[in-house]
Amino acid sequence: MELNPRKQKILKAIVDGFVATGDPVGSKSLLLETGISVSPATVRNDMADLTNKGYIYQPHTSAGRIPSQKGLRYYIDNLMVPLLPPERARDYMDLKLTGAADTPESLLTAAATLLSEYIGYAAVTTTPPCEESRIHRLHFIGTGRHTVMVVLVTTTGMVKSRLFRCNFVVNSEILTILHETLNKALCGVPLESINRPFMQTVAASFSELFLIIPQALTAIMEISEQALKVQLCVSGEKNLLFSDEVDPHTARRILSFLSDREQVSKLLLLGKSHLSIHIGSECAAPELRTACVVCGRYEIEGRTAGAVALFGPGRMDYASAMGAVSYITGKVGSLLEEMVDI
């Protein structure tokens, strides 16, 4: 339902005031904050209409108004403008994230830590879901006379490695054969397809190379299984316990939800939208009925991949939270794309 400009201004002022103080907002405060050139009676009538339509409500008699979940949703979708971190904060985030971009795991850990420190609640990052992952490239590095390290890079930016032992002396010719034959056979194959029957078929197709291939295929199968598992990094849980905006019951419920990694992963990887805010019942989890989840999905080579998310109370600075999640999500996606091309 569309609201006229004056009612939008009133709703925005009520949300902004409630987010800033946690207190109900009255008609006198609205006139001062908004500068609307109408009578107090007109403002009260507009507030009554917003109340009747379910956008705001009066928590107790003679109090001002606070936004309902419906009002917060309208505010987020129509009135809020994401607020990017200031330039100095962005420079700091860039420095920390670039410095941690050795592996996807270290990068995502740094992203969760930065987000939780900047906003002050709990932050979660996830690796991409397995159904999006294929083998992008394989590298083979000789580490000894009889040992080789295989490095697997997936299309979603994951990098996994494993040492394997050979029954022959490893030289540059052997490494070249492994690199050329196995990249040709396996690049583009979904990780979910890398199982024992598939690898046996691949091994049989090499005929004369059969003696030098099995150990490499076993190592690739093992690291593919590792890369299939969605990994989560959670940071800043203690922030929930010491924040003035988070009541103890909400903090405990959020912490309970975050302890179930499978449940968290399912929530964050469920949607495909680049940036979203879920309030209360929209989170579809009883533990989050008084919470808010701000979630960003980063992209790798144009495909939606993993998530960067913030877990906090229903009353939060949505504009700053969404701006920070958006900025960090974009930076994580860019750095992971660079990893894919190693």
Side-chain angles (χ1 to χ4, degrees):
M1 182 181 296
E2 189 57 49
L3 300 176
N4 66 42
R6 191 174 67 225
K7 289 177 183 175
Q8 287 184 346
K9 199 169 186 179
I10 290 172
L11 176 60
K12 184 177 186 302
I14 290 174
V15 174
D16 289 341
F18 176 68
V19 166
T21 67
D23 297 325
V25 179
S27 57
K28 291 182 180 180
S29 298
L30 281 174
L31 283 170
L32 291 173
E33 291 295 327
T34 62
I36 298 175
S37 56
V38 296
S39 68
T42 300
V43 171
R44 286 194 293 271
N45 287 337
D46 283 343
M47 291 175 70
D49 187 56
L50 288 169
T51 301
N52 291 334
K53 291 175 178 176
Y55 292 103
I56 59 177
Y57 67 96
Q58 193 172 25
H60 51 83
T61 306
S62 75
R65 304 296 197 277
I66 63 176
S68 64
Q69 182 171 308
K70 179 180 178 180
L72 290 173
R73 173 49 55 198
Y74 187 93
Y75 168 85
I76 290 166
D77 292 343
N78 301 281
L79 306 177
M80 184 199 72
V81 177
L83 183 63
L84 287 178
E87 184 177 359
R88 172 179 269 183
R90 296 198 304 271
D91 289 343
Y92 177 76
M93 291 174 180
D94 290 349
L95 180 66
K96 289 294 185 179
L97 291 173
T98 302
D102 298 321
T103 66
E105 291 87 348
S106 61
L107 173 62
L108 291 168
T109 297
T113 301
L114 282 170
L115 183 58
S116 66
E117 288 177 348
Y118 181 72
I119 299 296
Y121 302 130
V124 178
T125 54
T126 77
T127 55
C130 59
E131 62 267 18
E132 303 289 342
S133 297
R134 297 173 178 269
I135 293 179
H136 178 69
R137 187 172 298 137
L138 295 165
H139 297 273
F140 295 89
I141 305 165
T143 58
R145 282 175 54 83
H146 295 280
T147 55
V148 176
M149 175 181 288
V150 56
V151 180
L152 181 151
V153 183
T154 74
T155 53
T156 52
M158 293 302 297
V159 181
K160 296 290 182 181
S161 62
R162 177 65 60 91
L163 281 172
F164 63 91
R165 184 172 178 80
C166 305
N167 297 324
F168 47 83
V169 175
V170 176
N171 54 35
S172 59
E173 183 180 359
I174 292 293
L175 294 175
T176 299
I177 291 172
L178 289 172
H179 179 84
E180 292 180 352
T181 56
L182 292 179
N183 272 290
K184 183 178 180 180
L186 298 176
C187 281
V189 175
L191 293 186
E192 291 180 313
S193 299
I194 307 297
N195 51 35
R196 191 166 298 280
F198 177 81
M199 288 307 213
Q200 289 173 343
T201 301
V202 172
S205 69
F206 288 126
S207 58
E208 71 277 3
L209 298 176
F210 182 79
L211 293 178
I212 66 171
I213 292 296
Q215 296 92 336
L217 292 179
T218 298
I220 293 169
M221 184 175 65
E222 290 173 351
I223 55 178
S224 295
E225 290 175 355
Q226 288 183 7
L228 275 172
K229 299 175 182 177
V230 174
Q231 299 177 36
L232 272 71
C233 175
V234 182
S235 180
E237 299 101 312
K238 290 182 180 179
N239 292 338
L240 297 171
L241 300 173
F242 297 102
S243 171
D244 293 335
E245 292 84 16
V246 188
D247 66 82
H249 296 295
T250 296
R252 286 196 294 269
R253 286 194 289 263
I254 295 175
L255 290 173
S256 174
F257 182 83
L258 292 176
S259 67
D260 188 336
R261 299 301 177 97
E262 184 176 345
Q263 193 174 210
V264 174
S265 176
K266 183 179 179 181
L267 172 65
L268 299 186
L269 300 179
L270 187 61
K272 293 292 185 180
S273 58
H274 172 65
L275 200 61
S276 59
I277 296 182
H278 305 286
I279 314 164
S281 61
E282 296 173 355
C283 300
E287 301 94 328
L288 301 179
R289 63 183 179 273
T290 56
C292 174
V293 179
V294 184
C295 182
R297 295 292 302 276
Y298 57 83
E299 293 185 350
I300 299 175
E301 297 186 339
R303 292 187 297 272
T304 303
V308 176
L310 185 73
F311 285 74
R315 179 176 75 89
M316 70 163 64
D317 183 347
Y318 304 106
S320 294
M322 182 170 269
V325 170
S326 177
Y327 187 78
I328 291 176
T329 299
K331 190 68 178 178
V332 166
S334 297
L335 290 171
L336 285 174
E337 279 194 339
E338 293 177 11
M339 290 184 194
V340 171
D341 291 331
I342 66 172

